[in-house]
Amino acid sequence: MARVTIFDKTNLPSRYSTTGPQRAPHRSYYYAMGLTSDDIKKPFVGVVTTWNEAAPCNIALGRQAQAVKRGVVKAGGTPREFTTITVTDGIAMGHQGMKSSLVSREVIADSTELTVRGHAYDALVGLAGCDKSLPGLMMAMVRLNVPAVFMYGGSILPGKFRGRDVTVQDVFEAVGKHAVGAMSDADLDELERVACPSAGSCGGQFTANTMACVSEAIGLALPGSAGTPAPYEARDAWAEQSGEAVMELLANRTRPRDIVTLKALENAARVVACSGGSTNGALHLPALAHEAGIKFDLHDVAEIFRSTPYIADLKPAGQYVMKDLADVGGVPLIMRALLDGGFLHGDCITVTGRTIAQNLESFPWRPDQTIVRATTNPITEVGGVVGLKGTLAPEGAIVKIAGLPSLKFRGPARCFDCEEDAMQAVQERKYEDGEVLVIRYEGPKGGPGMREMLGVTSALYGQGKGDAVALITDGRFSGATRGFCIGHVGPEAQVGGPIGLLRNGDIIAIDAEKGTMDVELSEEELAKRRAEWKPRPTYYAAGTLWKYAQTVGSAEKGAVTHPGGAAEVHVYADI
């Protein structure tokens, strides 16, 4: 039974829209929607989802929102549902639409902030499905700093193709096989029809599931809530409990910035690393830190990645998907292993009102399963994702090393100034084994929007060349990417970074063991090229992408677009 608290609205934001004779016009709107006088006197809780019909990632969120609202009502609040956008990477991938993906993270955070500010809501529950919507909603929660609970919409069930589990990653890689005649039209058609059998986000440890793990590890989601697949009715129970939990946080005046501390961010980075998570985690964690005014950049994330063992055997590098993990204990099982191994700060507070260590008392270690190993018996000693730095990436870069047969690569550059040119070259086999394919002018400013390159990397794997070449970009890689693929190279080409000075044939040396990436050119040669370099004119001279390019910062700092918590003179929650 949920605890029902009688709230005094004197210090709550909703007093500005509901209390006193001067707010009679405001209240009349609420009466028009069927609210009672008692409803209006209660705290107003925003329930935001990224529901849409763009993809299966988001399609179940509308149903789950109704369960959240029931929980809010049971615990003495008045829910106010609203939606915001999301751009689904699986649909946007491989064409100009992908430029909208990372930009959508900022629009999600900004639009959620504006809705809460404009309507003076007292608390927030956010439900998200696809990749950028998860960090976007969590960023808004930290920015607003009203009591808040995040809930993942859940992953998709694995598809079945001729007796084996498949995900959308298999379909992307099948395109590469089809291009070289290794898969027939009929086989490709059969695979695409069965790969995604239900509602929910991509099933492997790609960006959505990585950030779902982050939501629990950082303390903004109820422990265990991220694992249950989207189609299961149990998700509604998690949603209702999330609605109840936010009212408890409001009663206790516990806010996101009480939860999202430096130690909590470190916990989240550990979970990303040990699970072979998406390299996008190294972009979103600094952005979350930025909202709280905490310094935690790519290099801080990379340091934690390097000192964390890789223990969870999840796709794309491993064998299992999120449903399999949920069956043996979910994200808490990963966190249990890390805590027992001394890799987690167990004293961090969470949305339960209890600490990480206290929450995990209910989740004992499961020695009978094979998906997550103890830290004393890791898959590899080093985390599944590591950072790189050197003459080619003075501001750093990031690479997923989980599953790589070798952590070193040296070869001549073959340069492309956009993803499309690289994709055409790969499809036409206009590259050589041992080369380093360079895709530039795809960074936050240069894209604009920092596209992911899953189409290119999947085509390479489909051709059986995933281990024969390396690929570097100032753009990003999907969480489904595998192979020696290095993203977030900074400074990006558009601002004159070394990646923009490369020429075909320049020798690039990568050492993921040491954490280095260098171009074998003298400082004098680089300086000469820099003096001759000119920025590339943008194709986007108006609209949202232009506006984004004017404000976005480097990937090193999370590709953020405003000064962040450190520059605040007031916080919304205190109005």
Side-chain angles (χ1 to χ4, degrees), residues 17 55 126 133 165 243 333 335 390 448 470-471 532 565:
S17 63
S133 58
D165 285 354
L333 183 68
M335 295 177 66
L471 200 159
E532 297 169 351

Side-chain angles (χ1 to χ4, degrees), residues 429-459:
R429 300 293 294 272
K430 292 182 178 178
Y431 64 93
E432 301 292 336
D433 289 5
E435 288 186 327
V436 180
L437 309 186
V438 178
I439 306 178
R440 57 195 179 188
Y441 293 101
E442 292 286 5
K445 286 184 181 293
M450 206 178 180
R451 284 194 288 183
E452 292 179 351
M453 309 294 159
L454 179 60
V456 177
T457 59
S458 296

Side-chain angles (χ1 to χ4, degrees), residues 63-125:
R63 183 198 86 223
Q64 294 175 22
Q66 309 317 306
V68 171
K69 290 159 68 176
R70 291 196 295 272
V72 169
V73 170
K74 281 173 61 177
T78 296
R80 298 284 83 199
E81 183 182 356
F82 65 99
T83 58
T84 185
I85 72 153
T86 186
V87 173
T88 298
D89 290 7
I91 301 292
M93 193 73 68
H95 57 91
Q96 293 286 310
M98 194 65 202
K99 294 179 184 290
S100 301
S101 172
L102 185 59
V103 180
S104 76
R105 184 190 74 178
E106 311 311 305
V107 175
I108 290 164
D110 293 351
S111 60
T112 301
E113 176 195 358
L114 293 176
T115 300
V116 171
R117 281 187 182 274
H119 303 99
Y121 294 154
D122 303 313
L124 188 64
V125 180

Side-chain angles (χ1 to χ4, degrees), residues 1-5 70-71 73-76 240-241 244-245 248:
M1 177 68 70
R3 184 179 76 154
V4 178
T5 302
R70 291 196 295 272
V73 170
K74 281 173 61 177
E240 189 164 325
Q241 291 172 40
E244 295 174 9
E248 191 73 17

Side-chain angles (χ1 to χ4, degrees), residues 20-78:
Q22 72 273 31
R23 304 305 178 200
H26 306 64
R27 290 192 295 273
S28 70
Y29 281 175
Y30 290 119
Y31 285 124
M33 292 182 283
L35 269 64
T36 66
S37 177
D38 284 344
D39 293 332
I40 296 170
K41 290 175 184 175
K42 295 173 182 176
F44 278 20
V45 178
V47 178
V48 56
T49 75
T50 56
W51 178 90
N52 62 28
E53 293 182 336
C57 327
N58 316 299
I59 201 70
L61 297 177
R63 183 198 86 223
Q64 294 175 22
Q66 309 317 306
V68 171
K69 290 159 68 176
R70 291 196 295 272
V72 169
V73 170
K74 281 173 61 177
T78 296

